[in-house]
Amino acid sequence: MNKGFNLKVFSENQWVFPDDVIEATDCECVALDIARGGNVMIQVLTDASVSAGDEFSFHIDNANGVYIIPYQLVPVTVSRNSSPKGKMYTTLNYEEVKDFVTRKAPFDVYDVTAPMNERFHYSGRLAFALRFTAQRELSPQIQNINVTLETGGISYTVPITLTVHKATIPELKDSKLAVVNWVRPASLLCHSGAERYSEAFWETYKKVLPHMIDIRTNHLSIAGAESEIKSEAIRDEEGKIIDFDLSYLEKALRIAENAGMTKLYGPYIARWVNWDQKEIYLLWDWDKKLRVTELEAYRQLEIYFRRVKEMVARNGWKDKYIQPLCDEVEFANADDYRILCGIARQLFPDIVIHDPVEAYNIPGAADIICVKQATYEKHLDEFKKLQAHGQRMTYYACGYPAGPTMNRTIDIPLFVGRLSFWMCHRYNFEGYLHWGYHAEGGFDNANRGNLPPGTHSIVYYSDELGDYVETVRSNNQRAGAEDWELLQIIKEKDEPLAQALVEKCCRTFDDYETDWQKVEEVRKEILASADKYFD
């Protein structure tokens, strides 16, 4: 029994706030369901306080073949709310967003899941998360587990009934789902405090990758409009580009491959200035505004793709390498984009092109187009026509259009980030991309500039730990990706059933279930349905 304090268990799909009031004094047994090779997490809020440096001990009874990892929950401050749909950035006008946000800004909410290693790293109200991971070889069973945390002479015991299902999550290397989060060099430079490509820079880069793999990000994309790790142009005395040095790109991709990434993306090489202009320019001669349709651009591209082909061949990456060309292709610059794709294919016939797009007037240009979620639904019929003709498609989310549109911002329901992966089945997308994986600075504030809260990252850098820390939102990404795998198992046997299960919670990117308990009920249905296809 837990005596002398209040304790409450929350789902992994609920936001927990530091000012939540707890009425019950005893913790009832918590029932959880898990797939083999899968994960499930709970959050625990107490009325006790701890200080950084306080010692604790952690005990587990009756867990067999199930790993349990504790995390200290740490709050972040949401200083401004996401704007209503159709408006950029953020707002303090609660009246125009109260129909879809969880709370009026400013507010604090538990987002960070910091490692717990014998001592607490952060002071404040004691809140912690427990992550359960079931071995893939474990037999289906029910386990009655007690998890006890002891600190300050008080013990906190959480009784768990864990049902291990027959359904099994495939290993990441075997996944058919493409999950892409950007790695941004500017953030690495900020966190390492070092020069680009220094040893400290590479060590910081290596710290990012295990966290990405842990949440089932399997495609590595090094990107960022302001400072990419891209092929470096080599110039003669007059400033003319005569070659490209891909050694730093190659090193970054090799490290990512060794970490477990199944697909490796080169950098974007071109960009438009204004979204409504027709011209697309090469990035490495950005100051000269060299349009991709010019002869000099063709000369440079011939050198560039010669080096790319050599790199791919040298590393045996024919089936792993993917080349982005231009971020967020628009209707106005679709013609330049088609020309750029044609040049790339002529110079590198085996190339696989994957780009975020906001336009449908580019049929056959890229192998895989990554459509913004709101753009897809705005032009639903046109994009479905492309898919019907064999166009491969993924989708992405970013800071716009905000509002209730599915994203992983901090002031909308937590589980919406999870449902984003269900939408891949709703619309037959091969995967999901989000630019905001990590951002400069720590987690003292969830807002960055005018961006909606949390859209810039789902991990934070901790100066205290000298490492990246995950969040309840990154846990939701992993959970959503695992849900996708179970739905894929069902879909391959009974596609109408898989679609019906998805549609119980997801109608459109703006119309989805808002009750976390309903989402959990449907997740159990998904697990039970997938169980039928395992011995």
Side-chain angles (χ1 to χ4, degrees):
M1 300 289 286
N2 298 305
K3 302 275 186 189
F5 60 91
N6 291 330
L7 173 68
K8 184 175 181 179
V9 177
F10 292 79
S11 162
E12 64 183 345
N13 294 309
Q14 291 177 273
W15 284 119
V16 184
F17 302 94
D19 60 357
D20 278 337
V21 176
I22 307 173
E23 297 179 355
T25 57
D26 291 323
C27 177
E28 296 181 358
C29 187
V30 179
L32 298 176
D33 291 78
I34 193 169
R36 293 183 293 180
N39 298 266
V40 66
M41 191 172 81
I42 59 172
Q43 302 173 86
V44 183
L45 182 65
T46 79
D47 274 351
S49 295
V50 296
S51 297
D54 285 353
E55 295 182 349
F56 71 89
S57 60
F58 181 64
H59 307 283
I60 303 170
D61 295 319
N62 304 321
N64 300 301
V66 177
Y67 301 111
I68 304 174
I69 303 175
Y71 301 92
Q72 184 180 3
L73 291 172
V74 184
V76 298
T77 299
V78 175
S79 58
R80 297 175 65 88
N81 283 122
S82 302
S83 289
K85 188 173 182 180
K87 292 186 179 181
M88 296 286 283
Y89 309 128
T90 59
T91 182
L92 285 174
N93 185 350
Y94 178 67
E95 289 301 313
E96 63 180 355
V97 297
K98 64 182 181 181
D99 290 339
F100 70 87
V101 301
T102 53
R103 279 201 173 192
K104 178 182 178 180
F107 64 88
D108 290 346
V109 60
Y110 289 108
D111 187 34
V112 174
T113 52
M116 293 172 60
N117 301 307
E118 297 183 351
R119 296 178 183 270
F120 294 107
H121 291 289
Y122 302 97
S123 302
R125 187 175 182 181
L126 175 57
F128 58 96
L130 299 173
R131 172 182 167 186
F132 300 77
T133 304
Q135 291 182 3
R136 193 167 280 104
E137 300 79 14
L138 190 62
S139 299
Q141 58 189 269
I142 296 176
Q143 297 190 16
N144 294 308
I145 303 171
N146 285 323
V147 181
T148 302
L149 178 70
E150 295 182 356
T151 184
I154 303 176
S155 65
Y156 306 75
T157 298
V158 182
I160 306 290
T161 297
L162 182 70
T163 299
V164 181
H165 284 252
K166 294 180 180 180
T168 306
I169 305 296
E171 294 185 46
L172 188 59
K173 65 181 180 64
D174 299 321
S175 178
K176 298 177 182 178
L177 176 67
V179 182
V180 189
N181 287 140
W182 285 1
V183 172
R184 299 173 63 81
S187 297
L188 295 177
L189 290 169
C190 174
H191 299 151
S192 66
E195 295 182 1
R196 172 171 283 184
Y197 308 136
S198 66
E199 191 58 35
F201 172 88
W202 289 115
E203 288 305 311
T204 303
Y205 170 61
K206 291 175 183 178
K207 291 178 180 178
V208 171
L209 298 173
H211 295 287
M212 301 185 87
I213 294 293
D214 185 45
I215 61 173
R216 298 187 73 85
T217 298
N218 56 355
H219 288 205
L220 189 280
S221 178
I222 302 173
E226 72 282 357
S227 58
E228 301 84 354
I229 293 181
K230 60 176 184 280
S231 58
E232 294 189 353
I234 299 175
R235 304 174 188 272
D236 63 15
E237 294 178 355
E238 298 178 353
K240 181 180 179 180
I241 291 176
I242 57 173
D243 207 345
F244 291 92
D245 177 8
L246 282 77
S247 58
Y248 296 117
L249 171 65
E250 187 169 3
K251 181 174 182 177
L253 298 184
R254 281 178 175 172
I255 292 171
E257 181 182 33
N258 290 335
M261 293 291 173
T262 58
K263 298 292 182 182
L264 309 170
Y265 289 56
Y268 295 103
I269 63 174
R271 180 69 169 166
W272 40 263
V273 176
N274 296 311
W275 68 272
D276 58 350
Q277 293 181 344
K278 63 182 180 180
E279 297 87 2
I280 293 178
Y281 305 102
L282 294 180
L283 282 175
W284 51 71
D285 250 344
W286 189 250
D287 57 329
K288 297 180 181 179
K289 292 299 181 287
L290 180 60
R291 191 176 179 185
V292 297
T293 56
E294 296 181 35
L295 179 59
E296 173 60 16
Y298 180 80
R299 186 190 71 82
Q300 294 180 16
L301 287 166
E302 189 279 326
I303 301 171
Y304 173 76
F305 281 111
R306 188 192 319 157
R307 299 298 180 224
V308 171
K309 285 193 294 183
E310 292 170 354
M311 177 185 70
V312 170
R314 184 163 52 245
N315 291 279
W317 288 342
K318 181 180 179 181
D319 296 327
K320 287 188 176 182
Y321 185 78
I322 294 176
Q323 181 67 62
L325 297 177
C326 178
D327 185 25
E328 293 190 316
V329 180
E330 306 284 345
F331 284 102
N333 43 64
D335 288 343
D336 269 23
Y337 180 70
R338 290 179 66 85
I339 291 171
L340 179 59
C341 288
I343 294 172
R345 294 191 190 288
Q346 183 205 43
L347 298 174
F348 190 177
D350 291 332
I351 196 170
V352 175
I353 299 171
H354 176 280
D355 278 313
V357 304
E358 299 231 37
Y360 58 77
N361 58 335
I362 50 170
D367 296 275
I368 311 166
I369 61 174
C370 187
V371 187
K372 184 188 288 186
Q373 83 280 58
T375 301
Y376 182 85
E377 290 186 335
K378 182 178 180 180
H379 306 288
L380 186 63
D381 291 342
E382 296 300 329
F383 281 115
K384 282 189 172 182
K385 288 177 184 177
L386 289 178
Q387 288 175 296
H389 287 287
Q391 175 65 65
R392 297 172 62 188
M393 200 172 295
T394 59
Y395 90 93
Y396 76 100
C398 60
Y400 181 82
T405 303
M406 277 191 188
N407 210 324
R408 56 191 193 199
T409 47
I410 306 180
D411 62 342
I412 63 176
L414 173 59
F415 57 80
V416 173
R418 181 177 196 154
L419 295 183
S420 295
F421 289 86
W422 297 25
M423 291 298 288
C424 289
H425 285 294
R426 178 78 176 89
Y427 288 137
N428 292 313
F429 296 127
E430 295 183 16
Y432 169 79
L433 177 150
H434 199 295
W435 71 275
Y437 179 71
H438 59 150
E440 296 87 344
F443 49 82
D444 56 336
N445 196 301
N447 289 94
R448 177 180 175 224
N450 286 322
L451 294 172
T455 193
H456 57 71
S457 62
I458 54 169
V459 300
Y460 297 93
Y461 188 79
S462 168
D463 291 325
E464 171 73 20
L465 300 175
D467 198 357
Y468 293 90
V469 292
E470 296 182 10
T471 63
V472 292
R473 290 178 300 127
S474 65
N475 175 76
N476 251 242
Q477 170 171 310
R478 178 178 51 244
E482 291 182 0
D483 293 342
W484 183 94
E485 300 288 358
L486 297 174
L487 286 163
Q488 179 66 16
I489 291 165
I490 299 167
K491 183 178 180 178
E492 290 176 356
K493 301 292 185 179
D494 190 343
E495 186 168 355
L497 175 59
Q499 193 65 239
L501 289 167
V502 170
E503 290 180 13
K504 285 187 176 184
C505 292
C506 306
R507 275 75 65 182
T508 71
F509 284 115
D510 290 342
D511 178 16
Y512 47 80
E513 181 57 55
T514 58
D515 183 347
W516 66 269
Q517 291 176 304
K518 176 65 174 178
V519 172
E520 294 204 343
E521 289 175 7
V522 176
R523 175 187 173 262
K524 289 182 180 180
E525 288 187 60
I526 293 170
L527 272 168
S529 297
D531 279 346
K532 295 184 296 185
Y533 307 111
F534 291 86
D535 296 329

